[in-house]
């Protein structure tokens, strides 16, 4: 996989700008990074705090080999981020289903995969990865849950290259689902009592039992029936 890396300084959002590039013919494996984002996007309409030169803000465009669902791409990217951090720092991270990478219980990375569909077919996917590398202060609303790798700002590029290395290795063999074993082994959600929070609905309590082969969260409800959660938000109780 040969990446074409475009480096920007401050932009709105690497996902949003890469989407424009994708609609204007950007090739498979185009990667866009920014030193900072003024409108970093998170899941469920949230923002992603993206101060200048303290984090890695990167999006990867995929136009080929993506007849898989976006959630699978998110879990694949999480595995690559975790492996890259381990290689470079020796630190073990965990993943909170589906897209948050944690270090010592704090979120240091978020992943937002967005798909563009044409006639129900996934035309392209953009995987956005944000890692707090040297950020040391966070806004009030996330200051208790967000953390940082505590590395120097120059680490961003090294991390980018290591994540892309793992991505090129893992993406080729994504269909065999082997990466999901690593994901499951390091997923803090499994075995925990959770609340499933879906927009506009009452939270539902359940026990997280595992992650299935489509990256869905297998849960057991209070009445012992089983189900699979594939979107929405899960809070660990
Ligand atoms: C989340 O935590 O809900 C996902 C956060 C994803 C943030 C990254 S930063 C690079 C890319 N561009 C964006 O606007 N968002 C993603």
């Amino acid at each position: 996989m040969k990446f074409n890396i475009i480096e920007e300084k401050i932009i709105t959002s690497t996902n949003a700008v890469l989407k424009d590039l994708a609609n204007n013919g950007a090739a498979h494996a185009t990667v866009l990074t920014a030193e900072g984002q003024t409108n970093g996007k998170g899941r469920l309409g949230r923002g992603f705090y993206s101060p200048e030169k303290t984090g890695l803000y990167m999006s990867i465009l995929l136009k080929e080999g993506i007849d898989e669902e976006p959630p699978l791409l998110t879990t694949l990217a999480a595995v690559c981020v975790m492996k890259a951090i381990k290689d470079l720092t020796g630190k073990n991270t965990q993943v909170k289903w589906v897209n948050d990478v944690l270090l010592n219980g704090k979120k240091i990375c978020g992943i937002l995969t967005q798909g563009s569909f044409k006639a129900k077919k996934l035309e392209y996917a953009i995987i956005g990865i944000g890692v707090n590398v040297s950020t040391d202060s966070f806004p009030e609303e996330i200051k208790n849950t967000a953390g940082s790798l505590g590395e120097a700002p120059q680490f961003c590029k090294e991390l980018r290259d290591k994540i892309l290395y793992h991505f090129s290795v893992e993406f080729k063999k994504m269909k065999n689902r082997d990466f999901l074993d690593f994901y499951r082994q390091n997923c803090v959600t499994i075995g925990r009592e959770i609340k499933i929070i879906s927009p506009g609905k009452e939270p539902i309590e359940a026990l997280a039992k595992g992650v299935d082969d489509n990256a869905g969260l297998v849960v057991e409800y209070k009445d012992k029936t089983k189900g699979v959660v594939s979107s929405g938000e899960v809070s660990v109780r």
Side-chain angles (χ1 to χ4, degrees), residues 13-15 37 39-43 48 57-59 99-100 107 110-112 128-130:
S13 147
T14 56
N15 267 32
Q37 302 182 115
N39 191 16
K41 295 180 191 310
R43 286 178 74 239
F48 186 78
Y57 315 114
M58 162 167 93
S59 299
N99 69 323
D100 290 349
K107 172 170 172 172
I111 297 164
L112 174 67
I129 301 171

Side-chain angles (χ1 to χ4, degrees), residues 12 28 68 112 114 122 144 154 156 160 205 207 226:
T12 51
H28 174 68
E68 307 291 334
L112 174 67
Q114 297 180 294
L122 186 56
N144 294 326
Q154 306 84 280
C156 292
R160 175 197 78 187
E205 291 183 0
L207 174 66
K226 291 227 169 71

Side-chain angles (χ1 to χ4, degrees), residues 34 55 57 90 107 134 139 150 156 186 203 208-209 214 219 231:
Y57 315 114
K107 172 170 172 172
S134 60
C156 292
N186 294 285
K209 301 286 279 183
N214 295 316
V219 298
S231 64

Side-chain angles (χ1 to χ4, degrees), residues 24 38 68 78 109 145 168 187 197-198 218:
N24 285 293
T38 54
E68 307 291 334
C109 165
T145 51
S168 63
C187 180
I197 304 158
S198 311
V218 181

Side-chain angles (χ1 to χ4, degrees), residues 29-192:
T30 299
V31 173
L32 178 64
T33 65
E35 288 182 0
Q37 302 182 115
T38 54
N39 191 16
K41 295 180 191 310
R43 286 178 74 239
L44 306 171
R46 298 194 186 120
F48 186 78
Y49 182 58
S50 313
E52 193 178 348
K53 291 188 181 159
T54 67
L56 171 65
Y57 315 114
M58 162 167 93
S59 299
I60 306 169
L61 172 64
L62 301 171
K63 287 189 162 174
E64 297 162 15
I66 46 159
D67 35 343
E68 307 291 334
E69 293 295 308
L72 208 56
L73 296 172
T74 300
T75 45
L76 183 82
V79 165
C80 295
V81 169
M82 296 166 83
K83 287 190 169 177
I85 291 172
K86 177 72 178 173
D87 286 356
L88 295 173
T89 70
K91 290 175 183 160
N92 290 315
T93 51
Q94 290 75 42
V95 63
K96 178 171 161 278
W97 186 86
V98 56
N99 69 323
D100 290 349
V101 177
L102 313 177
L103 177 66
N104 302 325
K106 301 266 171 137
K107 172 170 172 172
I108 53 139
C109 165
I111 297 164
L112 174 67
T113 302
Q114 297 180 294
S116 172
F117 292 84
K118 214 180 212 171
K120 290 196 179 153
K121 201 181 169 309
L122 186 56
E123 189 191 13
Y124 64 79
I126 291 173
I127 306 177
I129 301 171
V131 186
N132 305 326
V133 169
S134 60
T135 324
D136 58 6
S137 68
F138 293 94
E140 194 58 33
E141 59 283 10
I142 57 168
K143 82 167 200 269
N144 294 326
T145 51
S148 152
L149 274 178
E151 296 290 331
Q154 306 84 280
F155 184 76
C156 292
K157 272 207 175 140
E158 242 181 286
L159 183 60
R160 175 197 78 187
D161 292 343
K162 194 58 99 176
I163 293 171
L164 291 176
Y165 161 74
H166 280 291
F167 194 85
S168 63
V169 172
E170 299 291 340
F171 184 67
K172 262 192 274 187
K173 50 191 179 87
M174 177 168 70
K175 287 187 171 47
N176 71 19
R177 308 292 205 262
D178 281 353
F179 71 94
L180 280 173
D181 288 337
F182 182 95
Y183 186 92
R184 291 178 184 114
Q185 279 154 19
N186 294 285
C187 180
V188 291
T189 315
I190 298 172
R192 304 281 290 269

